[in-house]
Amino acid sequence: MNITHYINDLQHHLEVAAAAGGEESRLLAERLIAPLEAAMRLVLLEALSAAASEITRELAPGSVDVRLRGRDPEFVVTPPPSPVFEEVAENSSSAIPSSSQIAPAEGDEGGTWRITLRLPDQLKLRVEEAAARERLSVNSWLVRAVTDALEPKERTADRPKHSKRFTGWVS
């Protein structure tokens, strides 16, 4: 997104407003325009960033980010995960429990929270691939991964069992 047009428009409005104050005000405005350009760009970027945050709150679990490319901002839109993965996971007869089958932690009434998680591009791709392999949504896969990390003893079905039983003759 090229914001130079908006900067030029603001500069023009400043010149027009200063001209109403007389020759001295107009000359002062001309001297201030160049140093104010950086401040105007920063204010516009802050406004765009705030707008992207508001949109992200409404779009969650999708997101909108503002990235700076050179002197101009760029919007990066990440759509919510496809509901197809959720349907496949729910209809799957897999032995791997989905996030809806994992019991809530003790004292948890089963409520949910929205959290914005920022992942590097490469890690995000790996998470999406892992979720797709297991036929889960990214959200379900992440919930299961966090649950496994925090409570590894509760998910022993996938781990080998070690017996402490001995057999043989005793005399």
Side-chain angles (χ1 to χ4, degrees):
M1 171 180 194
N2 187 347
I3 63 172
T4 303
H5 168 73
Y6 301 101
I7 299 294
N8 291 340
D9 197 32
L10 281 170
Q11 290 173 341
H12 172 72
H13 288 296
L14 178 61
E15 289 171 346
V16 169
E23 184 64 20
E24 190 175 318
S25 295
R26 189 187 62 73
L27 291 173
L28 177 61
E30 282 180 12
R31 285 189 304 229
L32 290 175
I33 284 177
L36 285 175
E37 181 179 351
M40 287 188 272
R41 282 187 182 277
L42 183 60
V43 168
L44 284 174
L45 289 172
E46 287 174 355
L48 292 173
S49 182
S53 293
E54 285 183 31
I55 293 168
T56 294
R57 277 194 295 276
E58 296 297 321
L59 194 65
S63 67
V64 176
D65 291 312
V66 179
R67 293 184 183 164
L68 193 58
R69 297 278 182 197
R71 295 179 65 174
D72 294 318
E74 175 181 285
F75 291 100
V76 178
V77 178
T78 306
S82 173
V84 174
F85 289 121
E86 287 289 340
E87 293 168 11
V88 169
E90 289 171 8
N91 296 331
S92 174
S93 60
S94 172
I96 300 172
S98 70
S99 62
S100 62
Q101 296 169 325
I102 297 173
E106 193 170 318
D108 184 7
E109 277 74 51
T112 60
W113 290 44
R114 288 182 188 230
I115 297 174
T116 300
L117 176 64
R118 298 185 190 280
L119 298 174
D121 288 339
Q122 290 300 320
L123 182 57
K124 178 183 176 285
L125 291 173
R126 291 177 58 200
V127 167
E128 289 171 339
E129 289 169 358
R133 272 195 309 273
E134 296 183 27
R135 302 177 77 176
L136 295 171
S137 70
V138 170
N139 186 68
S140 295
W141 189 89
L142 287 170
V143 167
R144 195 174 76 201
V146 169
T147 301
D148 284 350
L150 295 175
E151 300 171 12
K153 294 175 186 171
E154 290 188 13
R155 295 208 19 157
T156 57
D158 298 334
R159 297 189 182 103
K161 295 182 181 180
H162 299 285
S163 175
K164 292 185 179 183
R165 195 174 71 181
F166 294 96
T167 58
W169 294 93
V170 177
S171 52

